[in-house]
Amino acid sequence: MSTTADVDNAVTYSWSNGRTWRSLDRQSRITFLNGVEEGLMLMRREAELPGSVPLPTLQKQSERLMISGFRFSDIVEQIDAFYADSSNRRIPIVDAYIYALRKMKGESEDTLRQLTASLRQRYNR
């Protein structure tokens, strides 16, 4: 049975974090990431409506948040590795997702270390 403390620890600033991620089975993790990508696609479609954010701007941002040539299971493995370090567990899943994409796109280890340190400082209060 979950306690209020368990639920409170599973979110950081209303965002699901590593504790939530680690409670999900592999298929649920893949489904979670599919939902993130579907949300990005929904945003792109809505941007095509009159009066919306200029589409090229939104396309550039959404491309930064997506990666081709990989499966969701590949991203799951990267996020799993990120949360294997208990110091990262309070970091929201969306930030771990961005970290994983940057790593998969070839960011340098030094840049990734700086990003991790910044995220820890922000969320591990």
Side-chain angles (χ1 to χ4, degrees):
M1 180 181 210
S2 295
T3 66
T4 302
D6 292 334
V7 172
D8 289 345
N9 287 326
V11 296
T12 305
Y13 303 113
S14 299
W15 295 65
S16 297
N17 63 28
R19 290 182 179 93
T20 299
W21 180 262
R22 291 172 51 87
S23 73
L24 301 174
D25 63 38
R26 184 171 177 78
Q27 188 57 48
S28 296
R29 292 173 183 180
I30 290 169
T31 302
F32 185 100
L33 296 179
N34 186 55
V36 169
E37 195 164 289
E38 288 288 326
L40 291 169
M41 297 306 293
L42 174 63
M43 231 175 24
R44 285 177 79 166
R45 189 180 76 188
E46 290 298 304
E48 295 173 1
L49 299 174
S52 297
V53 173
L55 189 57
T57 301
L58 191 56
Q59 283 178 327
K60 184 177 177 182
Q61 290 173 332
S62 64
E63 286 168 7
R64 188 177 62 83
L65 297 172
M66 295 167 67
I67 190 167
S68 60
F70 291 93
R71 298 177 311 235
F72 286 120
S73 59
D74 298 323
I75 302 169
V76 166
E77 289 174 13
Q78 293 299 316
I79 295 174
D80 286 349
F82 181 80
Y83 285 133
D85 185 330
S86 62
S87 298
N88 295 338
R89 303 247 171 94
R90 288 191 49 79
I91 296 171
I93 298 170
V94 292
D95 287 303
Y97 172 79
I98 291 169
Y99 172 92
L101 293 186
R102 290 177 67 176
K103 183 173 183 177
M104 294 169 77
K105 289 179 179 183
E107 290 269 344
S108 72
E109 286 299 317
D110 189 49
T111 299
L112 292 170
R113 271 192 298 277
Q114 291 174 12
L115 173 60
T116 302
S118 173
L119 291 170
R120 287 176 180 167
Q121 183 177 17
R122 181 174 182 184
Y123 296 114
N124 291 341
R125 299 177 194 207

